Amino acid sequence: MLASNSGFFRLILGILLSSNYLGSAYEFSALDGDSHSRHGARTDSSTKAALKTLWEAPLAVKGHHVEPLLRSAYKYEVPLPRNWDRLSHKLITPGSNITVVAFGGSVTVGHHAFNEDSSWPEEVVAWMRAAFPDVTFSFINLGHGATVAMAAALCYYHDMPPDADLVLVEYSINGCGSGQCLDFSHPQVAGYEQLLRKVMLKAPQAALLSMACFSFKITHKGLPGAYWKTGEDMHAVIAKRYNVPMVSVRDALYNAMFDDALMLPLLGLTRDDFFKDHIHPKLAGARVYGAGFVAWAIRHLVTKSLLLQAQQQQHGVAAAPAQHYRHHAHSYLDMLPTRRRGLLGLFSSSSSSSSSSSSGGGGGRIFPFSTGLGRQHSWMISAQRPNIESSNDLQSTALAAALGASSALPSAVSPVAAQQLDVDTFCAAGEAFQPFAVSNNGWDWVEEGRHDCRSPGCRKFGYKSVTPGARIVFEFNTSSVLSREQLQHKGKLSLFMLFLKQQSYVPEDGSGTVDGMGIVRVQCEQGCSCDALEVNGENTDRTAELDTVQTQVSAHPRCVVSVTLLNQTTTGGHKFKINGMAVAAYTD
């Protein structure tokens, strides 16, 4: 334990400066218990105490020598990260209740035997409980093993409470791990963006953090798997567009993960200690992911937010943690001379500029503006201080809009996601899917998930058949997604089927294909109309995952859809499993 708050905060300052956190020691003096600003303000003691506790919470990866490694996993700086000011304020308020939600695949679900009943997001929450002991945390794991982002955007987001405070999103492997997601038009890239939009619309106060996991595969030649075979690079562009920070385990561990001579001195672990396979971490690996890389990112984001709120209070600006742009309000900007660079590296000015600002000199001045990525831009702000409240409010509002920090969602990056309407979907999946079957000949209701796992995402309900000619009929209300007026204004509907896509296995003894997947025909029978589809359950990319297929459908309160298992096959088998149906709205 450190001897004094002053020494403690100066130690943090050194770490922050080494990570390009802050511009100068002056900015951190707002948190030094023995210091006053030149304006005579003293930072609220609760903020200092909260930061002290936060920085004393141990990370899973310890030692100053790994600080650059932890920092390297933080993919980029976001000038105004979405809702992190609100979350930071709530985290340091005793008695707060924080709800954390996680989306992702089996890496997020965790709870394998080798995970010892845990997962990386649960390790995040465990660390947060230590870092913020006066706060009550609840955790909802909406991860589903072997699922793609589109399934979450269609269905699983419905299970998220609208008052969620922090949402963690991991979907860079499933649907993308074989190099599929190299184009913004790819369905799973679009699905990732749609999921972010659905989360932001349903839980508008939630802070978000993207977690990009990676398949550290070793090729048959003994070489590291391709660096680019991930959805991360497409997802990073999208996440940054929405002011969502991202953690990348590939960026931090790609070199070390294939060389135990690097892993051992850095993490005290070998690759075998870290992973069960090339994707799923053991408990030690989950702790590095959650209580190491993600925890570092949370500490980084909360510290930045609290320091900037302290700066506001120091200069007599009322803190408004729920509003992004208030962190850069006019009175803060006007008080930054050269020797006191902007708290986040956002603004710096000349001493003469500050002097003229303080003396009320007229006119406007150009101040260099840094995005946090090292690029300098120009931003015109007024150099007058007296009686310019409305002018600076306009400027700060303009800045917030320029940086994408308004509550309204930006235009979509993916052209496919851009066609989707921001309205709720209809989804029937999981156990809720069973009652929608109104006629059934040859399909069994099954649950084929992992039974050693307590997480709901381990359960895999659906209708399965291996018999050609088997037919099942479902009935849905496809008119519930859009109003009549919306349909008249060029709104359209897509019918999605969620199904198992799986590789077939042929034993070396030639005894026959195991789990050979079949082909079904999907068509509208009554009430509604749609283009019929033939869907092949064979997966040539990965072993198995839940996939989606879609067709345009008309609106009708009793839309009757049939699925028939065909005789034709590309695998020698006929297994097919239907996991759900959904309806989503779009426009051309």
Side-chain angles (χ1 to χ4, degrees), residues 471-532:
R471 184 173 182 270
I472 188 168
V473 178
F474 302 96
E475 184 178 304
F476 309 100
N477 178 6
T478 57
S479 65
S480 62
V481 174
L482 289 179
S483 67
R484 182 175 299 178
E485 181 181 3
Q486 288 172 318
L487 288 168
Q488 290 173 346
H489 285 80
K490 299 184 178 180
K492 298 181 179 180
L493 299 170
S494 287
L495 174 68
F496 287 82
M497 182 175 73
L498 286 68
F499 68 101
L500 176 65
K501 200 169 184 180
Q502 181 172 305
Q503 281 185 347
S504 301
Y505 170 64
V506 180
E508 294 181 358
D509 61 8
S511 57
T513 302
V514 177
D515 278 341
M517 303 303 290
I519 299 173
V520 298
R521 180 177 177 83
V522 182
Q523 61 187 30
C524 293
E525 300 282 358
Q526 184 179 336
C528 56
S529 61
C530 64
D531 293 332

Side-chain angles (χ1 to χ4, degrees), residues 253 257 263 269-275 281-282 285 288-289:
L253 294 178
M257 192 56 71
M263 283 283 287
L269 301 168
T270 64
R271 179 187 172 99
D272 287 342
D273 295 332
F274 197 101
F275 276 126
K282 297 179 181 177
V288 171
Y289 278 6

